[in-house]
Amino acid sequence: MSATPKKSLKLFSGRSHPELAEEVAKQLDVTVTPQAAYQFANGEIFVRYDESVRGCDAFVIQSHCTPLNDAIMEQLIMVDALKRASAKRITVVIPFYGYARQDKKHKGREPISARLMADLFKTAGADRIMVVDLHTDQIQGFFDGPVDHLMAQKLLASYISDTYSDQNITVVSPDSGRVRVAEKWADDLGGTPLAFIHKTRDPSKPNQVVANRVVGDVEGRLCVLVDDMIDTGGTITKATEQLLAAGASDVIIASTHAVLSGPAVERLSSCGAKEVVLTNTLPIPEERRFDNLTVLSIAPLVAEAIHQVFEDGSVTSLFDGRA
């Protein structure tokens, strides 16, 4: 008996950000595979797929948003269910990778939780991980297998370039550690000048930053302040105030992940920024939106990367060879 094997793409979604999964499915011209998912009274999560997944190329999309630990556990259980149901290849798609900020030890007796996350998905049965804008690039090395690191920079930079093409732009890093990222932004925006905020941070006090001074030429220029995520908004809003005090004509905040914890919305809406540009890697409910917020969809990029992986194509080609 002989048979010609055929490839079958199936997209699976957790419950944390179904809107993004539906957008990705629409871009791929597929439907999200139906499943039963619920929690028992004590909080245990249960998942069962409503159709056969044997031999399929499975893509499991889940963004790690609040409640973050539930989202992670649900995705792990989904991967385990697929492995036990004989899926041929399992790709974990994580638009926002939880615990990415815990990528190294600042002091003794601390965990490296970003590595633990990679180990958990490998043990659960993931063959490949696809992520958007990791907090630090070295997290790619934590997973023992292929990692597709997608970058939202091209999407964000294109929007900035199209909207503010008549302005004198300076790209600003909120700290010295992200200057390399700012350099790539400057290249995408046509070789604009660079600046950064010199700041201090106490590693024992999370989400607390002291902005010191601006290094670079920002006077009379439109400053594009770039970062990978906005959590409580303390870093980015203090940097905005520093730039305006240093003579910047306006400030545009551009970031990939809208964590927006606690006072973030109030801070962003009142810090003096002309516009805050974010992507939808994380859900942004209506009550967390404000007048000068612009949300760009990451779905076309994620869908194209999934298509390239399924067709054994090149994900790197989506980023001009830089991924």
Side-chain angles (χ1 to χ4, degrees), residues 260-280:
L260 303 184
S261 303
V265 170
E266 181 183 351
R267 287 173 173 175
L268 289 169
S269 59
S270 61
C271 69
K274 180 180 177 68
E275 188 175 10
V276 180
V277 186
L278 303 170
T279 76
N280 63 341

Side-chain angles (χ1 to χ4, degrees), residues 49-298:
Y49 301 112
D50 294 342
E51 60 185 53
S52 174
V53 300
R54 185 180 300 275
C56 77
D57 204 344
F59 293 85
V60 186
I61 185 168
Q62 176 89 305
S63 217
H64 298 165
C65 57
T66 305
L68 183 138
N69 294 323
D70 285 355
I72 293 168
M73 194 66 200
E74 182 175 81
Q75 193 172 26
L76 288 166
I77 291 171
M78 291 174 71
V79 171
D80 184 73
L82 286 166
K83 178 181 71 173
R84 297 178 189 280
S86 301
K88 186 175 184 180
R89 180 172 65 170
I90 303 170
T91 301
V92 174
V93 183
I94 313 174
F96 177 71
Y97 186 99
Y99 292 94
R101 283 174 285 188
Q102 297 183 37
D103 62 308
K104 60 182 177 290
K105 292 170 68 174
H106 295 280
K107 294 182 176 182
R109 301 181 297 281
E110 290 183 353
I112 303 180
S113 305
R115 169 60 193 264
L116 174 62
M117 286 280 296
D119 289 344
L120 288 169
F121 280 107
K122 186 65 177 179
T123 302
D127 299 296
R128 187 184 198 102
I129 286 182
M130 183 180 294
V131 292
V132 180
D133 278 356
L134 286 167
H135 189 61
T136 50
D137 290 342
Q138 67 261 27
I139 295 174
Q140 297 173 73
F142 293 171
F143 183 76
D144 187 16
V147 176
D148 299 304
H149 188 196
L150 312 183
M151 293 176 286
Q153 176 187 321
K154 194 171 183 180
L155 172 69
L156 292 164
S158 294
Y159 174 82
I160 297 294
S161 180
D162 293 343
T163 309
Y164 300 100
S165 57
D166 59 337
Q167 301 276 342
N168 293 319
I169 293 175
T170 292
V171 176
V172 183
S173 169
D175 56 47
S176 57
R178 301 197 68 79
V179 169
R180 290 289 300 277
V181 175
E183 287 175 349
K184 294 176 184 177
W185 266 83
D187 289 341
D188 280 354
L189 293 175
T192 62
L194 285 173
F196 72 92
I197 308 294
H198 180 269
K199 71 176 187 181
T200 57
R201 181 195 294 271
D202 185 347
S204 66
K205 297 178 180 178
N207 298 320
Q208 293 187 30
V209 171
V210 178
N212 289 336
R213 60 191 178 89
V214 178
V215 179
D217 180 21
V218 301
E219 188 170 355
R221 302 182 68 87
L222 175 69
C223 291
V224 179
L225 189 56
V226 299
D227 208 349
D228 65 316
M229 72 172 75
I230 300 177
D231 189 353
T232 61
T235 298
I236 214 82
T237 53
K238 284 190 171 96
T240 300
E241 292 163 4
Q242 287 288 118
L243 289 169
L244 293 171
S249 60
D250 271 312
V251 176
I252 308 297
I253 295 172
S255 182
T256 304
H257 306 301
V259 181
L260 303 184
S261 303
V265 170
E266 181 183 351
R267 287 173 173 175
L268 289 169
S269 59
S270 61
C271 69
K274 180 180 177 68
E275 188 175 10
V276 180
V277 186
L278 303 170
T279 76
N280 63 341
T281 56
L282 289 165
I284 308 175
E286 283 301 320
E287 63 270 16
R288 305 297 287 170
R289 297 185 180 231
F290 46 94
D291 290 342
N292 56 336
L293 173 67
T294 299
V295 181
L296 307 179
S297 178
I298 202 73

